[in-house]
Every structure is written in C-alpha cells, then in structure tokens.
Amino acid sequence: MNNWIELLHDFKSKKKPIALVTVTKILGSAPCRVASKMIVTLQKEIYGTIGGGKLEFQVIDEAVRAIKENKIIESTYTLGPEFEQCCGGKVELIIEPMNQSPELYLFGAGHIGVAICNVLKDTPFSITLLDTRENWKDTIEIDQTVSYSSVPFDFYKQTINWGSNCYVVILTHDHKLDFEITALALHQPTKYIGLIGSKTKKNKFNNLLINELNYKAGISSVHCPIGLDLGGNSPKEIAISVASELLKVYYGK
C-alpha cells in the first residue's frame, strides 16, 4: 500500500475513524514483510493487506475493537494450524486508532461557556462554541483554537458531528432552547451530554421527555446538575468542575 499517507489524510479530512495496522517484526516465515500496512474502517473495509487469510481476518476484528475502545493494541501471532498457515513464523504488529479526537460542542456562549473554553485550552478537546443570539460573538473573547457557530437550532441536527466522540454541554440563555437541545442530543449518538441547572430543572425536563415526547428513559443519561461537586459557584469555578467531569469521562476514570 504505497498511498497510505494520502488515504490517512483523506480519512482525517472526513473525520472518519479508522485504524492503521503496521507489521513491526517478523520471526521466521510469514506471508507479509516488516512495515506492511493496512487501514481498517469501523465497517471492516480494508485498504492494503498484511498477507490475507485467517490472520488478516482476526486482525481486522482487533482493529475494529481498537477503534471502538480508542486505544493502541500491540499483538503477536504465531502462524500455525490456528490460522491455517503452516509457515510457523511469528508476526508482531501495532494497531493505531486515528481520527478519534473528542469533539466538544458547547451550547451557550455566556460567562460559563466562555470560561469552559479557556479552561480546556491545550487539552485533547476540539471545541465548538454555539450561540443563536445575533452578533453575540462580538461581545465575547475566545481563543482562536475555538470554533464559533451562530447557526439556528433547526440546523443543529445536520451540523453537529454526532457519534462516539461527540461531547455535548448545554448552558444556553433560554430554558426552552436547553430542553430542545437536550431532546435532540438524546436521540443522537453521543459520548457525553451535560446540562446546567438545578434538580428542579432536571425533574421538569425529565417529566417533559417522558410525558410529552414519550422518551421513556427520560433524562437518566444526562449529567445534570453538570460537573463534579468541587464547591464554588463563580463562572470559572463551575467551568473547572465541568471541565474536570469532561476529562474524567474522556480518560475513562
């Protein structure tokens, strides 16, 4: 596979999760050579080869697991009857998941939303700050690494990159908008949904989801009240508690 760099760039531009398999060591006879590469998608599409056969089929499954768990896997395989290959050599390889950066969507560019952007600077999160208020961006200061969007709510379903790397934090200026975004996010694939508000707000939203939208699970999967209970109520202190919870989820702690 001589065009693997171009393929990786193409998948990155499309934000499509893939795994790069590289043969790192061979002992004895094997149907591939050191540095052989194969790209595997979540749908088990492959580009390139590490020799075919049952070994390759098993590695494809391992690559999908690496994508889903977002972790590097190093493996050693002895080629024998198990793989229907009698060459008897050993193959060592590394499987690297790619395009798995967590994408954080902050709905609401108020004091807390802006503070969260500042706290999470230089962390793995790719941040998009969204606010529906007209010309609101002119009233705030955010780092150049933060993307800003003023698209209306009606376009959120199409513009958000929903999926296993999608983190949603809801803290707009409008409770009705908060509820609409919460309901939308609950019907999309996400890694995390956090909602700012009191227990009263949580109960109200829960009742609306169950009784009016017939969403039986209610708000059970939403982090509300949002953030770790660290104490403190200033925008920066709340931002630190929210950022701490986001990082805790991302690192699986």
Side-chain angles (χ1 to χ4, degrees):
M1 184 173 65
N2 296 322
N3 63 331
W4 62 275
I5 294 178
E6 290 84 357
L7 285 169
L8 289 179
H9 183 270
D10 184 50
F11 284 122
K12 183 177 181 179
S13 65
K14 294 176 180 176
K15 296 185 178 180
K16 186 172 182 178
I18 54 97
L20 175 65
V21 180
T22 305
V23 176
T24 57
K25 189 175 182 179
I26 294 175
L27 297 173
S29 299
C32 55
R33 56 186 175 83
V34 173
S36 295
K37 299 184 190 300
M38 179 173 69
I39 292 173
V40 182
T41 72
L42 202 53
Q43 293 73 35
K44 295 189 177 182
E45 302 165 321
I46 63 169
Y47 301 81
T49 180
I50 57 167
K54 290 187 71 174
L55 169 64
E56 187 165 283
F57 285 134
Q58 183 162 330
V59 171
I60 290 170
D61 288 337
E62 286 286 279
V64 170
R65 181 167 71 87
I67 295 171
K68 290 181 176 179
E69 297 179 4
N70 194 23
K71 70 177 184 180
I72 294 174
I73 296 176
E74 295 180 272
S75 300
T76 300
Y77 299 91
T78 300
L79 305 180
E82 178 186 353
F83 295 103
E84 299 176 355
Q85 291 173 294
C86 58
C87 41
K90 284 187 177 181
V91 176
E92 295 183 8
L93 52 83
I94 184 169
I95 305 172
E96 303 171 86
M98 297 183 175
N99 307 334
Q100 295 280 67
S101 297
E103 296 186 66
L104 173 60
Y105 295 91
L106 291 168
F107 296 91
H111 296 301
I112 297 173
V114 172
I116 293 172
C117 292
N118 292 332
V119 172
L120 286 175
K121 182 182 177 182
D122 299 325
T123 68
F125 286 99
S126 173
I127 304 173
T128 300
L129 183 63
L130 302 98
D131 203 293
T132 58
R133 290 173 286 188
E134 188 175 355
N135 300 321
W136 189 255
K137 187 179 181 182
D138 297 336
T139 70
I140 61 174
E141 291 186 14
I142 53 175
D143 190 79
Q144 61 182 2
T145 59
V146 176
S147 299
Y148 184 90
S149 174
S150 59
V151 298
F153 168 78
D154 291 345
F155 291 94
Y156 284 172
K157 185 175 181 179
Q158 292 78 25
T159 57
I160 304 305
N161 190 26
W162 306 101
S164 59
N165 291 313
C166 178
Y167 293 69
V168 171
V169 171
I170 305 162
L171 26 68
T172 78
H173 62 289
D174 185 335
H175 277 214
K176 181 176 182 294
L177 183 57
D178 279 356
F179 177 74
E180 290 175 339
I181 298 170
T182 301
L184 172 64
L186 284 169
H187 287 83
Q188 307 300 322
T190 59
K191 178 72 172 182
Y192 170 98
I193 303 172
L195 170 66
I196 198 164
S198 63
K199 290 182 179 179
T200 300
K201 181 178 180 180
K202 179 179 181 179
N203 291 334
K204 180 181 179 181
F205 280 21
N206 188 61
N207 291 333
L208 288 171
L209 286 164
I210 295 173
N211 299 324
E212 295 194 12
L213 298 184
N214 198 32
Y215 188 76
K216 299 304 183 184
I219 206 168
S220 58
S221 61
V222 177
H223 295 256
C224 181
I226 194 172
L228 301 182
D229 186 8
L230 304 177
N233 293 307
S234 72
K236 185 171 184 178
E237 289 169 327
I238 294 172
I240 291 171
S241 75
V242 174
S244 299
E245 185 168 80
L246 288 165
L247 289 166
K248 183 177 180 181
V249 172
Y250 173 69
Y251 287 112
K253 299 297 184 179

